């Protein structure tokens, strides 16, 4: 079949239990294993339980896809073990928080001829498809690209409680904006830090921009009123906004048009569960697009690492 049918989940945190496992069930996928260092978290799982990825790769059936949903800093080791054993991997974003690790893992993916995917659920929505189609039609007329992803708070009792930049909003939230810029073929090397805010030792807000080809303004942070949007502003002053753009649950989305005179018109879109859409994506798509996606992953990690360096320099 041209879809993964068996999955082994690595890391059974709140996100996996709330979004990933229900989406697998909705798509009638078979959960053949769960890897968790805290087996009590997996007591209600019908699948076989493993204390480590090493145990799992020696036990699960062939053609199992490993769904890696552990903390980002733990991804690299799990990816290497999975890929070296010849299994495919679908990894929660961000797949990597270190460029060197990304390069090594990508080299292993190619060597072992496995399929590797970074799981951005929002890319499997009608809203995102509409945004990309609009960009392809109108990019010559676009003067500014705006992305704003502000959250009231972050989930507690997760890896995000750690104050390191690798576990901060830079990678966890910023990766959304950077991967969109990559999909729009924006030169990521020109994206620069504009403003950064800290609360104690925790990063709370980042604004970055670029003025090459198009003006770009990216904002993300927590402790703010919820805003989740992608907007294109045209040379004539009109604009189109897609929101909420980074969202996976079933529900309503909005495309808002603003004409040059300030008039507004909105179109509503009813989305299905994007996580379920992601799990039903054809293997042929993942395989045929792999080299392009791996190249984008590497460029996005470099961009985020560059912003990390600029943040460290700024907050010293």
């Amino acid at each position: 079949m041209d879809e993964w049918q068996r999955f082994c989940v690595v890391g059974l945190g709140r996100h996996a239990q709330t979004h990933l496992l229900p989406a697998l069930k909705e798509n009638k996928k078979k959960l053949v294993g769960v890897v968790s260092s805290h087996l009590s978290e997996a007591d209600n799982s019908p699948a076989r339980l493993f204390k480590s990825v090493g145990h799992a790769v020696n036990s699960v059936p062939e053609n199992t896809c490993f769904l890696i949903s552990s903390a980002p800093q733990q991804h690299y080791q799990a990816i290497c073990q999975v890929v070296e054993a010849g299994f495919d991997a679908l990894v929660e974003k961000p797949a990597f928080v270190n460029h060197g690790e990304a390069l090594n893992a990508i080299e292993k993916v190619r060597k072992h001829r496995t399929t590797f995917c970074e799981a951005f659920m929002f890319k499997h929505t009608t809203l995102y498809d509409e945004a990309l189609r609009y960009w392809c039609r109108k990019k010559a007329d676009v003067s500014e690209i705006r992305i704003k992803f502000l959250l009231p708070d972050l989930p507690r009792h997760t890896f995000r409680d750690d104050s390191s930049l690798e576990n901060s909003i830079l990678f966890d939230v910023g990766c959304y904006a950077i991967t969109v810029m990559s999909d729009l073929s924006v030169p990521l090397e020109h994206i620069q830090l504009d403003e950064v805010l800290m609360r104690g030792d925790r990063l709370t807000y980042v604004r970055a921009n670029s003025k090459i080809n198009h003006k770009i303004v990216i904002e993300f942070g927590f402790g703010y009123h919820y805003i989740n949007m992608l907007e294109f502003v045209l040379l004539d002053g009109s604009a189109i906004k897609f929101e909420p753009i980074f969202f996976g649950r079933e529900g309503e989305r909005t495309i808002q048009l603003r004409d040059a005179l300030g008039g507004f018109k909105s179109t509503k879109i009813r989305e299905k569960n994007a996580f379920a859409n992601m799990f039903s994506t054809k293997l042929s798509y993942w395989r045929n697009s792999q080299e392009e996606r791996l190249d984008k992953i590497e460029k996005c990690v470099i961009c985020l690492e560059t912003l990390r360096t600029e943040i460290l320099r700024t907050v010293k």
Side-chain angles (χ1 to χ4, degrees), residues 239-280:
I240 184 168
K241 184 188 299 184
F242 303 83
E243 61 181 343
I245 190 69
F246 307 121
F247 203 72
R249 296 178 186 173
E250 181 179 353
E252 195 173 80
R253 313 288 192 271
T254 302
I255 300 176
Q256 185 184 80
L257 295 166
R258 186 189 75 226
D259 63 36
L261 299 177
F264 289 90
K265 180 181 179 182
S266 294
T267 301
K268 301 294 183 181
I269 293 177
R270 184 73 187 178
E271 292 280 9
K272 296 181 179 179
N273 185 314
F275 297 97
N277 291 344
M278 180 172 64
F279 293 133
S280 65

mmCIF file of all heavy atoms in Angstrom, residues 239-280:
data_model
loop_
_atom_site.group_PDB
_atom_site.id
_atom_site.type_symbol
_atom_site.label_atom_id
_atom_site.label_comp_id
_atom_site.label_asym_id
_atom_site.label_seq_id
_atom_site.Cartn_x
_atom_site.Cartn_y
_atom_site.Cartn_z
ATOM 1 N N ALA A 239 -4.241 43.585 0.710
ATOM 2 C CA ALA A 239 -3.599 42.517 1.472
ATOM 3 C C ALA A 239 -4.531 41.318 1.564
ATOM 4 O O ALA A 239 -5.751 41.434 1.403
ATOM 5 C CB ALA A 239 -3.226 43.010 2.870
ATOM 6 N N ILE A 240 -3.928 40.169 1.843
ATOM 7 C CA ILE A 240 -4.695 38.954 2.098
ATOM 8 C C ILE A 240 -4.086 38.259 3.312
ATOM 9 O O ILE A 240 -2.872 38.152 3.439
ATOM 10 C CB ILE A 240 -4.711 38.024 0.865
ATOM 11 C CG1 ILE A 240 -5.612 36.808 1.123
ATOM 12 C CG2 ILE A 240 -3.302 37.615 0.458
ATOM 13 C CD1 ILE A 240 -5.903 36.006 -0.131
ATOM 14 N N LYS A 241 -4.961 37.821 4.229
ATOM 15 C CA LYS A 241 -4.515 37.234 5.489
ATOM 16 C C LYS A 241 -5.135 35.844 5.637
ATOM 17 O O LYS A 241 -6.327 35.651 5.401
ATOM 18 C CB LYS A 241 -4.941 38.130 6.653
ATOM 19 C CG LYS A 241 -4.447 37.688 8.020
ATOM 20 C CD LYS A 241 -5.066 38.510 9.136
ATOM 21 C CE LYS A 241 -4.725 39.980 9.023
ATOM 22 N NZ LYS A 241 -5.264 40.741 10.181
ATOM 23 N N PHE A 242 -4.319 34.887 6.063
ATOM 24 C CA PHE A 242 -4.747 33.512 6.286
ATOM 25 C C PHE A 242 -4.603 33.214 7.774
ATOM 26 O O PHE A 242 -3.494 33.291 8.315
ATOM 27 C CB PHE A 242 -3.885 32.550 5.469
ATOM 28 C CG PHE A 242 -3.880 32.816 3.984
ATOM 29 C CD1 PHE A 242 -3.022 33.775 3.449
ATOM 30 C CD2 PHE A 242 -4.735 32.128 3.132
ATOM 31 C CE1 PHE A 242 -3.003 34.029 2.081
ATOM 32 C CE2 PHE A 242 -4.725 32.380 1.766
ATOM 33 C CZ PHE A 242 -3.868 33.335 1.245
ATOM 34 N N GLU A 243 -5.726 32.849 8.422
ATOM 35 C CA GLU A 243 -5.641 32.602 9.867
ATOM 36 C C GLU A 243 -6.762 31.694 10.372
ATOM 37 O O GLU A 243 -7.853 31.692 9.793
ATOM 38 C CB GLU A 243 -5.630 33.924 10.638
ATOM 39 C CG GLU A 243 -6.832 34.794 10.481
ATOM 40 C CD GLU A 243 -6.698 36.096 11.273
ATOM 41 O OE1 GLU A 243 -5.848 36.206 12.175
ATOM 42 O OE2 GLU A 243 -7.472 37.005 10.981
ATOM 43 N N PRO A 244 -6.469 30.913 11.437
ATOM 44 C CA PRO A 244 -5.137 30.648 11.986
ATOM 45 C C PRO A 244 -4.371 29.719 11.052
ATOM 46 O O PRO A 244 -4.884 28.671 10.654
ATOM 47 C CB PRO A 244 -5.433 29.974 13.325
ATOM 48 C CG PRO A 244 -6.762 29.307 13.119
ATOM 49 C CD PRO A 244 -7.520 30.181 12.172
ATOM 50 N N ILE A 245 -3.165 30.092 10.701
ATOM 51 C CA ILE A 245 -2.404 29.347 9.706
ATOM 52 C C ILE A 245 -1.720 28.122 10.317
ATOM 53 O O ILE A 245 -1.640 27.065 9.692
ATOM 54 C CB ILE A 245 -1.375 30.271 8.998
ATOM 55 C CG1 ILE A 245 -0.753 29.567 7.790
ATOM 56 C CG2 ILE A 245 -0.340 30.795 9.958
ATOM 57 C CD1 ILE A 245 -1.673 29.335 6.640
ATOM 58 N N PHE A 246 -1.227 28.251 11.554
ATOM 59 C CA PHE A 246 -0.521 27.143 12.199
ATOM 60 C C PHE A 246 -1.474 26.447 13.166
ATOM 61 O O PHE A 246 -1.451 26.682 14.376
ATOM 62 C CB PHE A 246 0.714 27.656 12.949
ATOM 63 C CG PHE A 246 1.624 28.489 12.095
ATOM 64 C CD1 PHE A 246 1.915 29.807 12.448
ATOM 65 C CD2 PHE A 246 2.192 27.975 10.951
ATOM 66 C CE1 PHE A 246 2.759 30.576 11.672
ATOM 67 C CE2 PHE A 246 3.032 28.744 10.164
ATOM 68 C CZ PHE A 246 3.315 30.044 10.522
ATOM 69 N N PHE A 247 -2.325 25.601 12.626
ATOM 70 C CA PHE A 247 -3.373 24.985 13.444
ATOM 71 C C PHE A 247 -3.733 23.636 12.843
ATOM 72 O O PHE A 247 -3.853 23.519 11.623
ATOM 73 C CB PHE A 247 -4.591 25.902 13.495
ATOM 74 C CG PHE A 247 -5.487 25.665 14.684
ATOM 75 C CD1 PHE A 247 -5.084 26.041 15.952
ATOM 76 C CD2 PHE A 247 -6.724 25.058 14.526
ATOM 77 C CE1 PHE A 247 -5.904 25.834 17.057
ATOM 78 C CE2 PHE A 247 -7.554 24.847 15.624
ATOM 79 C CZ PHE A 247 -7.137 25.228 16.894
ATOM 80 N N GLY A 248 -3.898 22.623 13.695
ATOM 81 C CA GLY A 248 -4.127 21.282 13.181
ATOM 82 C C GLY A 248 -5.498 20.702 13.415
ATOM 83 O O GLY A 248 -5.889 19.752 12.738
ATOM 84 N N ARG A 249 -6.231 21.263 14.359
ATOM 85 C CA ARG A 249 -7.521 20.660 14.689
ATOM 86 C C ARG A 249 -8.584 20.962 13.640
ATOM 87 O O ARG A 249 -8.505 21.949 12.915
ATOM 88 C CB ARG A 249 -7.996 21.182 16.049
ATOM 89 C CG ARG A 249 -7.103 20.786 17.205
ATOM 90 C CD ARG A 249 -7.599 21.379 18.505
ATOM 91 N NE ARG A 249 -6.676 21.119 19.599
ATOM 92 C CZ ARG A 249 -6.796 21.633 20.818
ATOM 93 N NH1 ARG A 249 -7.801 22.437 21.082
ATOM 94 N NH2 ARG A 249 -5.918 21.343 21.751
ATOM 95 N N GLU A 250 -9.574 20.108 13.593
ATOM 96 C CA GLU A 250 -10.714 20.334 12.713
ATOM 97 C C GLU A 250 -11.423 21.621 13.113
ATOM 98 O O GLU A 250 -11.527 21.948 14.300
ATOM 99 C CB GLU A 250 -11.684 19.152 12.827
ATOM 100 C CG GLU A 250 -12.913 19.250 11.951
ATOM 101 C CD GLU A 250 -13.830 18.054 12.086
ATOM 102 O OE1 GLU A 250 -13.437 17.081 12.768
ATOM 103 O OE2 GLU A 250 -14.940 18.079 11.516
ATOM 104 N N GLY A 251 -11.877 22.386 12.126
ATOM 105 C CA GLY A 251 -12.583 23.621 12.456
ATOM 106 C C GLY A 251 -12.527 24.639 11.339
ATOM 107 O O GLY A 251 -12.122 24.346 10.221
ATOM 108 N N GLU A 252 -12.932 25.855 11.673
ATOM 109 C CA GLU A 252 -13.068 26.925 10.685
ATOM 110 C C GLU A 252 -11.797 27.761 10.590
ATOM 111 O O GLU A 252 -11.157 28.066 11.584
ATOM 112 C CB GLU A 252 -14.247 27.830 11.071
ATOM 113 C CG GLU A 252 -14.721 28.741 9.972
ATOM 114 C CD GLU A 252 -16.005 29.476 10.362
ATOM 115 O OE1 GLU A 252 -15.910 30.478 11.090
ATOM 116 O OE2 GLU A 252 -17.100 29.026 9.957
ATOM 117 N N ARG A 253 -11.445 28.116 9.349
ATOM 118 C CA ARG A 253 -10.330 29.021 9.081
ATOM 119 C C ARG A 253 -10.859 30.194 8.253
ATOM 120 O O ARG A 253 -11.924 30.099 7.640
ATOM 121 C CB ARG A 253 -9.199 28.329 8.308
ATOM 122 C CG ARG A 253 -8.798 26.973 8.852
ATOM 123 C CD ARG A 253 -8.035 27.057 10.162
ATOM 124 N NE ARG A 253 -7.450 25.759 10.481
ATOM 125 C CZ ARG A 253 -8.061 24.797 11.181
ATOM 126 N NH1 ARG A 253 -9.287 25.004 11.640
ATOM 127 N NH2 ARG A 253 -7.445 23.649 11.428
ATOM 128 N N THR A 254 -10.077 31.266 8.188
ATOM 129 C CA THR A 254 -10.527 32.477 7.499
ATOM 130 C C THR A 254 -9.466 32.976 6.528
ATOM 131 O O THR A 254 -8.279 33.016 6.858
ATOM 132 C CB THR A 254 -10.834 33.595 8.518
ATOM 133 O OG1 THR A 254 -11.826 33.149 9.438
ATOM 134 C CG2 THR A 254 -11.344 34.845 7.803
ATOM 135 N N ILE A 255 -9.926 33.361 5.343
ATOM 136 C CA ILE A 255 -9.097 34.120 4.398
ATOM 137 C C ILE A 255 -9.721 35.504 4.305
ATOM 138 O O ILE A 255 -10.878 35.646 3.884
ATOM 139 C CB ILE A 255 -9.061 33.461 3.009
ATOM 140 C CG1 ILE A 255 -8.492 32.045 3.098
ATOM 141 C CG2 ILE A 255 -8.226 34.311 2.046
ATOM 142 C CD1 ILE A 255 -8.515 31.292 1.782
ATOM 143 N N GLN A 256 -8.986 36.511 4.725
ATOM 144 C CA GLN A 256 -9.511 37.874 4.752
ATOM 145 C C GLN A 256 -8.805 38.730 3.702
ATOM 146 O O GLN A 256 -7.581 38.840 3.699
ATOM 147 C CB GLN A 256 -9.328 38.500 6.128
ATOM 148 C CG GLN A 256 -9.961 39.891 6.248
ATOM 149 C CD GLN A 256 -9.691 40.531 7.595
ATOM 150 O OE1 GLN A 256 -8.628 41.073 7.827
ATOM 151 N NE2 GLN A 256 -10.660 40.439 8.490
ATOM 152 N N LEU A 257 -9.588 39.317 2.830
ATOM 153 C CA LEU A 257 -9.070 40.217 1.800
ATOM 154 C C LEU A 257 -9.311 41.656 2.202
ATOM 155 O O LEU A 257 -10.402 42.008 2.663
ATOM 156 C CB LEU A 257 -9.764 39.944 0.466
ATOM 157 C CG LEU A 257 -9.528 38.574 -0.172
ATOM 158 C CD1 LEU A 257 -10.531 38.336 -1.289
ATOM 159 C CD2 LEU A 257 -8.120 38.484 -0.714
ATOM 160 N N ARG A 258 -8.294 42.499 2.052
ATOM 161 C CA ARG A 258 -8.442 43.938 2.278
ATOM 162 C C ARG A 258 -8.059 44.638 0.982
ATOM 163 O O ARG A 258 -6.941 44.480 0.478
ATOM 164 C CB ARG A 258 -7.518 44.407 3.403
ATOM 165 C CG ARG A 258 -7.737 45.872 3.797
ATOM 166 C CD ARG A 258 -6.667 46.370 4.751
ATOM 167 N NE ARG A 258 -5.404 46.616 4.063
ATOM 168 C CZ ARG A 258 -4.228 46.207 4.510
ATOM 169 N NH1 ARG A 258 -4.125 45.514 5.624
ATOM 170 N NH2 ARG A 258 -3.106 46.466 3.822
ATOM 171 N N ASP A 259 -8.995 45.402 0.420
ATOM 172 C CA ASP A 259 -8.685 46.076 -0.840
ATOM 173 C C ASP A 259 -7.876 47.351 -0.581
ATOM 174 O O ASP A 259 -7.655 47.749 0.574
ATOM 175 C CB ASP A 259 -9.946 46.352 -1.659
ATOM 176 C CG ASP A 259 -10.926 47.297 -0.972
ATOM 177 O OD1 ASP A 259 -10.478 48.234 -0.282
ATOM 178 O OD2 ASP A 259 -12.156 47.121 -1.133
ATOM 179 N N ALA A 260 -7.441 47.988 -1.639
ATOM 180 C CA ALA A 260 -6.574 49.166 -1.520
ATOM 181 C C ALA A 260 -7.262 50.347 -0.855
ATOM 182 O O ALA A 260 -6.598 51.268 -0.357
ATOM 183 C CB ALA A 260 -6.062 49.569 -2.906
ATOM 184 N N LEU A 261 -8.593 50.327 -0.819
ATOM 185 C CA LEU A 261 -9.349 51.415 -0.197
ATOM 186 C C LEU A 261 -9.718 51.107 1.255
ATOM 187 O O LEU A 261 -10.374 51.921 1.914
ATOM 188 C CB LEU A 261 -10.622 51.684 -1.011
ATOM 189 C CG LEU A 261 -10.394 52.129 -2.467
ATOM 190 C CD1 LEU A 261 -11.736 52.280 -3.185
ATOM 191 C CD2 LEU A 261 -9.603 53.434 -2.510
ATOM 192 N N GLY A 262 -9.331 49.919 1.735
ATOM 193 C CA GLY A 262 -9.598 49.580 3.132
ATOM 194 C C GLY A 262 -10.821 48.729 3.347
ATOM 195 O O GLY A 262 -11.183 48.436 4.491
ATOM 196 N N GLY A 263 -11.494 48.322 2.271
ATOM 197 C CA GLY A 263 -12.655 47.446 2.410
ATOM 198 C C GLY A 263 -12.240 46.011 2.685
ATOM 199 O O GLY A 263 -11.164 45.576 2.263
ATOM 200 N N PHE A 264 -13.079 45.268 3.418
ATOM 201 C CA PHE A 264 -12.745 43.900 3.809
ATOM 202 C C PHE A 264 -13.760 42.902 3.261
ATOM 203 O O PHE A 264 -14.950 43.200 3.130
ATOM 204 C CB PHE A 264 -12.718 43.764 5.345
ATOM 205 C CG PHE A 264 -11.554 44.460 5.983
ATOM 206 C CD1 PHE A 264 -11.655 45.789 6.382
ATOM 207 C CD2 PHE A 264 -10.354 43.797 6.174
ATOM 208 C CE1 PHE A 264 -10.581 46.437 6.972
ATOM 209 C CE2 PHE A 264 -9.273 44.443 6.765
ATOM 210 C CZ PHE A 264 -9.387 45.756 7.167
ATOM 211 N N LYS A 265 -13.272 41.717 2.954
ATOM 212 C CA LYS A 265 -14.117 40.604 2.547
ATOM 213 C C LYS A 265 -13.498 39.326 3.083
ATOM 214 O O LYS A 265 -12.295 39.094 2.934
ATOM 215 C CB LYS A 265 -14.230 40.528 1.029
ATOM 216 C CG LYS A 265 -15.102 39.380 0.536
ATOM 217 C CD LYS A 265 -15.148 39.341 -0.987
ATOM 218 C CE LYS A 265 -16.001 38.175 -1.464
ATOM 219 N NZ LYS A 265 -16.034 38.089 -2.956
ATOM 220 N N SER A 266 -14.310 38.476 3.726
ATOM 221 C CA SER A 266 -13.790 37.254 4.335
ATOM 222 C C SER A 266 -14.420 36.019 3.709
ATOM 223 O O SER A 266 -15.598 36.010 3.364
ATOM 224 C CB SER A 266 -14.062 37.241 5.843
ATOM 225 O OG SER A 266 -13.326 38.255 6.491
ATOM 226 N N THR A 267 -13.605 34.985 3.587
ATOM 227 C CA THR A 267 -14.066 33.679 3.133
ATOM 228 C C THR A 267 -13.740 32.659 4.209
ATOM 229 O O THR A 267 -12.628 32.641 4.747
ATOM 230 C CB THR A 267 -13.359 33.272 1.825
ATOM 231 O OG1 THR A 267 -13.629 34.254 0.825
ATOM 232 C CG2 THR A 267 -13.849 31.909 1.346
ATOM 233 N N LYS A 268 -14.711 31.807 4.540
ATOM 234 C CA LYS A 268 -14.509 30.786 5.560
ATOM 235 C C LYS A 268 -14.189 29.444 4.909
ATOM 236 O O LYS A 268 -14.743 29.088 3.877
ATOM 237 C CB LYS A 268 -15.759 30.637 6.433
ATOM 238 C CG LYS A 268 -16.177 31.918 7.160
ATOM 239 C CD LYS A 268 -15.144 32.345 8.201
ATOM 240 C CE LYS A 268 -15.612 33.573 8.970
ATOM 241 N NZ LYS A 268 -14.605 34.012 9.962
ATOM 242 N N ILE A 269 -13.289 28.711 5.534
ATOM 243 C CA ILE A 269 -12.921 27.373 5.088
ATOM 244 C C ILE A 269 -13.124 26.414 6.254
ATOM 245 O O ILE A 269 -12.726 26.706 7.383
ATOM 246 C CB ILE A 269 -11.451 27.320 4.636
ATOM 247 C CG1 ILE A 269 -11.237 28.144 3.378
ATOM 248 C CG2 ILE A 269 -11.008 25.874 4.387
ATOM 249 C CD1 ILE A 269 -9.789 28.196 2.926
ATOM 250 N N ARG A 270 -13.735 25.288 5.977
ATOM 251 C CA ARG A 270 -13.906 24.258 7.003
ATOM 252 C C ARG A 270 -12.832 23.199 6.819
ATOM 253 O O ARG A 270 -12.769 22.539 5.786
ATOM 254 C CB ARG A 270 -15.295 23.617 6.897
ATOM 255 C CG ARG A 270 -15.592 22.603 8.001
ATOM 256 C CD ARG A 270 -15.845 23.287 9.324
ATOM 257 N NE ARG A 270 -15.977 22.330 10.415
ATOM 258 C CZ ARG A 270 -16.169 22.672 11.677
ATOM 259 N NH1 ARG A 270 -16.284 23.951 11.999
ATOM 260 N NH2 ARG A 270 -16.258 21.759 12.621
ATOM 261 N N GLU A 271 -11.946 23.081 7.793
ATOM 262 C CA GLU A 271 -10.823 22.158 7.692
ATOM 263 C C GLU A 271 -11.112 20.847 8.427
ATOM 264 O O GLU A 271 -11.761 20.827 9.470
ATOM 265 C CB GLU A 271 -9.567 22.775 8.321
ATOM 266 C CG GLU A 271 -9.000 23.952 7.583
ATOM 267 C CD GLU A 271 -8.164 23.564 6.365
ATOM 268 O OE1 GLU A 271 -8.153 22.370 5.995
ATOM 269 O OE2 GLU A 271 -7.523 24.472 5.819
ATOM 270 N N LYS A 272 -10.581 19.773 7.873
ATOM 271 C CA LYS A 272 -10.560 18.501 8.575
ATOM 272 C C LYS A 272 -9.338 18.463 9.494
ATOM 273 O O LYS A 272 -8.527 19.381 9.503
ATOM 274 C CB LYS A 272 -10.525 17.351 7.568
ATOM 275 C CG LYS A 272 -11.765 17.257 6.697
ATOM 276 C CD LYS A 272 -11.666 16.079 5.734
ATOM 277 C CE LYS A 272 -12.909 15.974 4.875
ATOM 278 N NZ LYS A 272 -12.822 14.838 3.913
ATOM 279 N N ASN A 273 -9.215 17.392 10.243
ATOM 280 C CA ASN A 273 -8.090 17.234 11.161
ATOM 281 C C ASN A 273 -6.792 17.125 10.372
ATOM 282 O O ASN A 273 -6.586 16.180 9.603
ATOM 283 C CB ASN A 273 -8.310 15.981 12.012
ATOM 284 C CG ASN A 273 -7.257 15.809 13.082
ATOM 285 O OD1 ASN A 273 -6.065 15.949 12.824
ATOM 286 N ND2 ASN A 273 -7.698 15.506 14.291
ATOM 287 N N ALA A 274 -5.898 18.101 10.534
ATOM 288 C CA ALA A 274 -4.658 18.123 9.758
ATOM 289 C C ALA A 274 -3.706 17.002 10.157
ATOM 290 O O ALA A 274 -2.921 16.528 9.329
ATOM 291 C CB ALA A 274 -3.967 19.476 9.920
ATOM 292 N N PHE A 275 -3.753 16.580 11.410
ATOM 293 C CA PHE A 275 -2.914 15.461 11.836
ATOM 294 C C PHE A 275 -3.323 14.189 11.106
ATOM 295 O O PHE A 275 -2.475 13.423 10.638
ATOM 296 C CB PHE A 275 -3.012 15.267 13.352
ATOM 297 C CG PHE A 275 -2.506 16.430 14.149
ATOM 298 C CD1 PHE A 275 -3.375 17.390 14.645
ATOM 299 C CD2 PHE A 275 -1.149 16.567 14.417
ATOM 300 C CE1 PHE A 275 -2.914 18.464 15.380
ATOM 301 C CE2 PHE A 275 -0.669 17.634 15.163
ATOM 302 C CZ PHE A 275 -1.556 18.584 15.640
ATOM 303 N N ALA A 276 -4.631 13.969 10.991
ATOM 304 C CA ALA A 276 -5.122 12.808 10.252
ATOM 305 C C ALA A 276 -4.750 12.909 8.780
ATOM 306 O O ALA A 276 -4.369 11.920 8.147
ATOM 307 C CB ALA A 276 -6.638 12.683 10.419
ATOM 308 N N ASN A 277 -4.852 14.111 8.214
ATOM 309 C CA ASN A 277 -4.438 14.313 6.815
ATOM 310 C C ASN A 277 -2.974 13.948 6.623
ATOM 311 O O ASN A 277 -2.594 13.331 5.623
ATOM 312 C CB ASN A 277 -4.643 15.773 6.401
ATOM 313 C CG ASN A 277 -6.103 16.161 6.307
ATOM 314 O OD1 ASN A 277 -6.990 15.308 6.253
ATOM 315 N ND2 ASN A 277 -6.366 17.452 6.290
ATOM 316 N N MET A 278 -2.146 14.338 7.581
ATOM 317 C CA MET A 278 -0.713 14.072 7.482
ATOM 318 C C MET A 278 -0.436 12.572 7.458
ATOM 319 O O MET A 278 0.378 12.091 6.664
ATOM 320 C CB MET A 278 0.008 14.731 8.659
ATOM 321 C CG MET A 278 1.503 14.543 8.691
ATOM 322 S SD MET A 278 2.296 15.542 9.985
ATOM 323 C CE MET A 278 1.571 14.809 11.470
ATOM 324 N N PHE A 279 -1.137 11.818 8.303
ATOM 325 C CA PHE A 279 -0.893 10.380 8.380
ATOM 326 C C PHE A 279 -1.440 9.621 7.171
ATOM 327 O O PHE A 279 -1.074 8.470 6.951
ATOM 328 C CB PHE A 279 -1.484 9.808 9.667
ATOM 329 C CG PHE A 279 -0.791 10.282 10.911
ATOM 330 C CD1 PHE A 279 -1.512 10.732 12.002
ATOM 331 C CD2 PHE A 279 0.600 10.286 10.978
ATOM 332 C CE1 PHE A 279 -0.869 11.186 13.148
ATOM 333 C CE2 PHE A 279 1.250 10.729 12.116
ATOM 334 C CZ PHE A 279 0.520 11.172 13.203
ATOM 335 N N SER A 280 -2.319 10.264 6.402
ATOM 336 C CA SER A 280 -2.849 9.606 5.202
ATOM 337 C C SER A 280 -2.102 10.036 3.935
ATOM 338 O O SER A 280 -2.460 9.622 2.838
ATOM 339 C CB SER A 280 -4.345 9.907 5.051
ATOM 340 O OG SER A 280 -4.563 11.288 4.829
#
